[in-house]
Amino acid sequence: MTKLAIMGAMEEEIEPLLEYFENVKVTEFADNKYYEVNLNGLDIVIAYSKIGKVFASLTATTMIEKFGCDTLLFSGVAGGINPKLKIGDLIIADKLCQHDLDITAFGHPNGFVPGGKVFVETSKELRDVAFEVAEENNISVLEGTIATGDQFVHSVERKEFIESTFNADALEMEGASVAVICDALNVPFLILRAISDTADMDAGFDFDEFLKSSAKNSADYMIKIVKKL
Ligand SMILES: Nc1ncnc2c(CN3C[C@H](CCSCCOCCO)[C@@H](O)C3)c[nH]c12
């Protein structure tokens, strides 16, 4: 029987998820809180990791190794790169990379370290479910590459580097670390994001303005996906 992990990075990203549940059991572990709920017989653990790749890695590993989750879904917001992505729009990652991982001094490509790979692919099966749900509910969602790094991107220069180097469609700060963890532990995973800003000079203002509404867009779609699993 599946035990599902649903992750976000910020509290604002999981609040719209927790609203769907009653009877929440809270467990404190490793300076974080894990919320256990049930949906139609499906055991679910929900948590926000806190911002960045390290916190996201800790939470993903905890959900899998300590709570026994065998499937992991991420719901949150992202900075848009692909001009097709407007604020509020949804993107599902087919693959993810780390745009700030750099040992190019030794002739390696950006995003690569020995023993790793530049891109980690998400679960095709989970993506298929997500796109089926999107079609059934007339939800528009882009499938694309998401780049992750430990920085809030708010400059055209950095955005253009990420786009040209990785052909990325969106960027954020946690997805690729979740991908590495799930890939290493053979746990199928899905990364869903809604655009909160376009990672340019207005990113900070737009993020503050649209975090809540975009997080809800992602969460509402995510709940429909969960009900289909
Ligand atoms: N342009 C952008 N660059 C990188 N990532 C993103 C994302 C995705 N999430 C949002 C959040 C931003 C971290 S700063 C939040 C401000 O904290 C406010 C509390 O002081 C982090 O968890 C990554 C949306 N737009 C982005």
Side-chain angles (χ1 to χ4, degrees), residues 9-10 13 50-52 77-79 149 151-154 171-174 193 196-199 203 207-208 211:
M10 298 179 74
E13 292 173 322
K50 293 173 279 192
I51 292 165
V77 300
Q151 55 193 234
F152 183 81
V153 177
H154 59 113
L171 56 86
E172 29 89 311
M173 297 178 70
E174 297 85 20
R193 298 274 188 166
S196 55
D197 58 273
T198 49
F207 178 81
D208 286 339
L211 167 61

Side-chain angles (χ1 to χ4, degrees), residues 14-87:
I14 70 160
E15 275 167 349
L17 291 165
L18 290 171
E19 286 171 5
Y20 282 91
F21 302 98
E22 296 170 353
N23 306 319
V24 182
K25 177 190 174 189
V26 184
T27 301
E28 298 208 9
F29 179 77
D31 292 333
N32 208 350
K33 290 181 179 174
Y34 293 82
Y35 303 90
E36 296 183 86
V37 298
N38 189 283
L39 180 69
N40 306 332
L42 176 61
D43 288 331
I44 302 172
V45 184
I46 300 174
Y48 71 93
S49 59
K50 293 173 279 192
I51 292 165
K53 292 193 283 181
V54 174
F55 281 133
S57 300
L58 173 58
T59 295
T61 304
T62 298
M63 293 174 109
I64 296 165
E65 292 298 299
K66 177 176 176 60
F67 287 89
C69 295
D70 56 27
T71 304
L72 190 149
L73 312 177
F74 190 106
S75 177
V77 300
I81 299 175
N82 187 319
K84 290 179 189 169
L85 288 171
K86 308 303 179 197
I87 287 174

Side-chain angles (χ1 to χ4, degrees), residues 46-228:
I46 300 174
Y48 71 93
S49 59
K50 293 173 279 192
I51 292 165
K53 292 193 283 181
V54 174
F55 281 133
S57 300
L58 173 58
T59 295
T61 304
T62 298
M63 293 174 109
I64 296 165
E65 292 298 299
K66 177 176 176 60
F67 287 89
C69 295
D70 56 27
T71 304
L72 190 149
L73 312 177
F74 190 106
S75 177
V77 300
I81 299 175
N82 187 319
K84 290 179 189 169
L85 288 171
K86 308 303 179 197
I87 287 174
D89 286 353
L90 295 158
I91 179 169
I92 283 176
D94 57 357
K95 59 183 180 295
L96 298 103
C97 60
Q98 296 180 66
H99 65 72
D100 60 350
L101 189 56
D102 180 347
I103 57 167
T104 54
F106 299 91
H108 294 296
N110 281 284
F112 177 84
V113 291
K117 45 192 175 187
V118 176
F119 294 102
V120 179
E121 290 191 9
T122 61
S123 160
K124 175 76 167 58
E125 291 72 22
L126 289 173
R127 276 185 273 143
D128 287 346
V129 171
F131 295 130
E132 185 181 342
V133 168
E135 193 166 339
E136 290 169 355
N137 293 274
N138 197 25
I139 294 170
S140 174
V141 55
L142 182 81
E143 182 177 40
T145 300
I146 293 181
T148 301
D150 278 322
Q151 55 193 234
F152 183 81
V153 177
H154 59 113
S155 79
V156 173
E157 181 190 15
R158 185 66 188 171
K159 176 180 173 179
E160 287 179 348
F161 164 79
I162 295 166
E163 181 179 26
S164 60
T165 308
F166 300 98
N167 195 25
D169 297 289
L171 56 86
E172 29 89 311
M173 297 178 70
E174 297 85 20
S177 50
V178 171
V180 169
I181 299 299
C182 291
D183 191 45
L185 297 174
N186 294 313
V187 169
F189 68 101
L190 183 78
I191 307 288
L192 167 64
R193 298 274 188 166
I195 302 304
S196 55
D197 58 273
T198 49
D200 52 20
M201 61 185 288
D202 297 326
F205 302 103
D206 288 340
F207 178 81
D208 286 339
E209 174 77 17
F210 299 107
L211 167 61
K212 285 193 77 171
S213 56
S214 293
K216 181 149 178 58
N217 283 2
S218 181
D220 289 347
Y221 179 25
M222 182 58 82
I223 289 294
K224 292 182 173 73
I225 294 167
V226 170
K227 289 177 177 175
K228 196 84 176 184

